Amino acid sequence: MRADFIIRGGRVMDPYTGADEIKDIVVCNTRIADPDGEQVECGHIIDASGCIVAPGLIDFHTHIFYEGSGSCIRPDFMISQGTTAAVDAGTAGTVTYESFYKSVIAQSTMRIKGFLTTYSGGQLDFKLCEDFNPELINLARMERVIDKYRDNILGLKIRLSKGVVPDDKGLDYLKRVIELAEELDERLGTSLRVCVHTTNSPISASELAGCLRPGDIFCHCFQGAGNTIVMEDGQIWPGILEARKKGVIFDAANGRGNFGVATAKQALKAGFLPDIISTDLTIDKFNIPPYTKNLPSVMAKYITMGMNLMDVLHTVTAAPAKIMGMEGKIGTLQPGADADIVILKEKQLSFVQKDFKDEELVSNSLLVPQLTMCAGEINFCQADFFL
C-alpha cells in the first residue's frame, strides 16, 4: 500500500469508537486507511510521539459570515486552532443566506453547515437587533432557500432573550418557529432542527426546554443570567432533565455573555454534562482573552471543571458530527472516514478565563494544536513541528 502520510507513535483518541491507544494513523488521499497487514510505503512520516492524535475538532456554534456581518470571523482562521468543521449559528437570514453560501461556505477549506435565522436580515452587527416577530417571516423565500441548500441548512434559529423578544410574547414566538419548522419539513421532506439562544430568557428554562422537540438545540445551556438550568439548591430543574430524556440537545456555546462559571460548576457537579461544547466565536472574542478565545481554550474550561478528556473530545468531534448528518465521515479516526485530523500537545501553563460577570476560572494546562489536516492535506503546522 502506498500512503500519503503516516502519523506515527501518537496517543490516538477517537471518541466515536472509544479508542485510546498508541498506534499509527495511515492517510491515503483524502481518507484514513486500514493497511490490514499490508506493508505501507510512505515518504512522509509524522512523528506524533508525546502528542494526542484526535479527529479534527468541530465547532458547532460560531459566527462566520465574514464580510456579511460585522460580528463574524473568517472561518479558515480556525484551522490553526485544530478546527476542521464548523456550524454557523444563524448569522444569515433568508435574504442573506445565498450570499453566505457563495462567498464563504463555497470558498472555505473548512466544512461548514449552518442554521437559518428566522429574521430575514440575519444578525448584521452587534448594535443591530433582529426582530423575531412571526409576522415578518418571509415564508415563501425561506422555503426556496431551504429547498436549494437543504444539504447545508440544519434548521432554524431564534434568539429568546429579554430585549430581543417581548417578555410577554417570547413563548409565542418560539412556538411559531417550531410550527414553522414542522410545516417546512412536511412540504420539503426535510428534518429541520430549531436552535434557541437561551441567555436571559423571559421564560423559565424548563418552560423553554419543554417546547423543544427531540433533536432541537438548547444553546448557551450554562448561561448565568436570569432563568438558568440550575435551581437554588444546585440541582437541575426537572423540566431540563425531562427535555434531555426526550432528546433535546444541550450546547454549551460559551460566547462572552453566554457562560456563567457558577452555573457550569453547579451543573457539572449535579452530573449534567453538555452534549456539545462550542465557542460562539465572533470577532470581538477571536483569539482575544480573557473570554472565549478559541475551541481549545473553551475545552480547557471543562477539563478544569472536572470533565475527563475523552468526554470533552466527544463533545467537539463525534457528537456534533452526528447532528450535522456526517456521523462516521468526520469526527472519527476510523478507517474510511475523511482524514480530518488534529495533533495536540498538552502544555502546562496557567491562564485565566472569565465569564459574563468577570468571575475567573484558572486553568493549568492547554491542548495546543501542532498540526491540522483537512481531508488529507496539511493546512496548518507549528513552525517547530514535523521538521
Side-chain angles (χ1 to χ4, degrees), residues 55-64 73 75 78-79 81-89 110-115 154 251-255 276-282 285-286 292-299 315-317 320-321 324 330:
L57 307 182
I58 303 170
D59 198 339
F60 190 78
H61 191 118
T62 64
H63 291 280
I64 48 180
I73 63 170
M78 291 189 288
I79 293 174
Q81 303 167 346
T83 302
T84 56
V87 173
D88 182 276
M110 288 180 57
R111 304 167 193 274
I112 300 171
K113 293 199 176 190
F115 283 88
L154 298 178
D251 180 6
N254 276 238
I276 298 172
I277 292 172
S278 59
T279 60
D280 191 18
L281 274 181
T282 49
K285 299 184 292 287
F286 181 67
T292 300
K293 187 172 185 289
N294 50 50
L295 192 49
S297 68
V298 173
M299 291 163 61
T315 66
V316 296
T317 57
M324 293 169 71
I330 63 174

Side-chain angles (χ1 to χ4, degrees), residues 5 7 44-48 51 76-84 341-345 347 368-374 377-387:
F5 298 98
I7 302 174
H44 300 297
I45 310 297
I46 300 172
D47 183 5
C51 297
D76 283 349
F77 285 172
M78 291 189 288
I79 293 174
S80 64
Q81 303 167 346
T83 302
T84 56
I341 302 169
V342 62
I343 301 176
L344 302 159
K345 188 168 186 177
K347 295 196 174 183
V368 180
Q370 304 298 295
L371 181 146
T372 308
M373 186 176 288
C374 301
E377 291 189 348
I378 297 174
N379 291 104
F380 167 75
C381 185
Q382 289 283 3
D384 60 352
F385 189 75
F386 191 30
L387 296 174

Side-chain angles (χ1 to χ4, degrees), residues 92-98 116-122 138 141-142 145:
T94 52
V95 173
T96 57
Y97 197 87
E98 290 215 56
L116 185 71
T117 285
T118 54
Y119 175 60
S120 295
N138 186 336
R141 187 180 180 94
M142 181 180 287
V145 170

Side-chain angles (χ1 to χ4, degrees), residues 96-348:
T96 57
Y97 197 87
E98 290 215 56
S99 176
F100 174 44
Y101 186 89
K102 293 173 182 177
S103 66
V104 176
I105 297 173
Q107 305 296 325
S108 299
T109 298
M110 288 180 57
R111 304 167 193 274
I112 300 171
K113 293 199 176 190
F115 283 88
L116 185 71
T117 285
T118 54
Y119 175 60
S120 295
Q123 295 177 251
L124 294 173
D125 192 70
F126 294 116
K127 295 185 177 182
L128 296 175
C129 191
E130 311 96 292
D131 188 340
F132 289 105
N133 185 337
E135 294 182 3
L136 300 180
I137 293 173
N138 186 336
L139 182 55
R141 187 180 180 94
M142 181 180 287
E143 184 174 345
R144 289 199 301 273
V145 170
I146 291 172
D147 192 20
K148 183 174 182 179
Y149 297 105
R150 60 174 59 229
D151 292 335
N152 189 263
I153 295 174
L154 298 178
L156 305 179
K157 170 74 178 295
I158 181 172
R159 286 206 298 149
L160 211 68
S161 295
K162 291 183 178 181
V164 178
V165 297
D167 287 5
D168 61 337
K169 295 182 179 179
L171 187 59
D172 293 336
Y173 282 15
L174 174 59
K175 289 179 178 179
R176 178 57 188 137
V177 170
I178 292 170
E179 290 173 357
L180 186 60
E182 292 175 345
E183 290 172 16
L184 289 166
D185 284 346
E186 187 172 349
R187 294 182 197 179
L188 300 174
T190 49
S191 299
L192 298 170
R193 303 174 187 270
V194 172
C195 178
V196 187
H197 169 111
T198 65
T199 299
N200 197 23
S201 171
I203 62 177
S204 72
S206 288
E207 191 172 19
L208 192 162
C211 292
L212 302 181
R213 308 160 302 163
D216 287 341
I217 317 294
F218 185 109
C219 73
H220 313 309
C221 64
F222 297 140
Q223 67 88 22
N227 295 309
T228 75
I229 66 170
V230 180
M231 296 187 289
E232 287 186 5
D233 64 359
Q235 297 303 303
I236 306 300
W237 284 101
I240 296 296
L241 298 177
E242 284 299 316
R244 166 160 278 180
K245 190 182 299 183
K246 183 172 64 175
V248 172
I249 294 162
F250 290 85
D251 180 6
N254 276 238
R256 180 172 183 169
N258 304 316
F259 171 75
V261 169
T263 303
K265 285 183 175 180
Q266 289 175 311
L268 295 177
K269 185 178 180 180
F272 192 89
L273 275 59
D275 296 305
I276 298 172
I277 292 172
S278 59
T279 60
D280 191 18
L281 274 181
T282 49
I283 193 66
D284 65 324
K285 299 184 292 287
F286 181 67
N287 280 341
I288 303 173
Y291 306 99
T292 300
K293 187 172 185 289
N294 50 50
L295 192 49
S297 68
V298 173
M299 291 163 61
K301 289 182 181 181
Y302 291 88
I303 293 171
T304 298
M305 291 187 292
M307 284 185 66
N308 70 56
L309 178 55
M310 186 65 89
D311 285 344
V312 169
L313 284 173
H314 188 272
T315 66
V316 296
T317 57
K322 183 176 181 178
I323 299 168
M324 293 169 71
M326 303 185 76
E327 183 178 22
K329 182 178 176 63
I330 63 174
T332 179
L333 297 176
Q334 69 173 354
D338 286 3
D340 287 6
I341 302 169
V342 62
I343 301 176
L344 302 159
K345 188 168 186 177
E346 185 175 9
K347 295 196 174 183
Q348 303 301 316

Side-chain angles (χ1 to χ4, degrees), residues 26-58:
V26 178
V27 176
C28 292
N29 201 352
T30 64
R31 300 186 183 276
I32 296 170
D34 181 4
D36 195 23
E38 289 186 54
Q39 183 176 347
V40 180
E41 298 180 8
C42 182
H44 300 297
I45 310 297
I46 300 172
D47 183 5
S49 301
C51 297
I52 293 168
V53 181
L57 307 182
I58 303 170

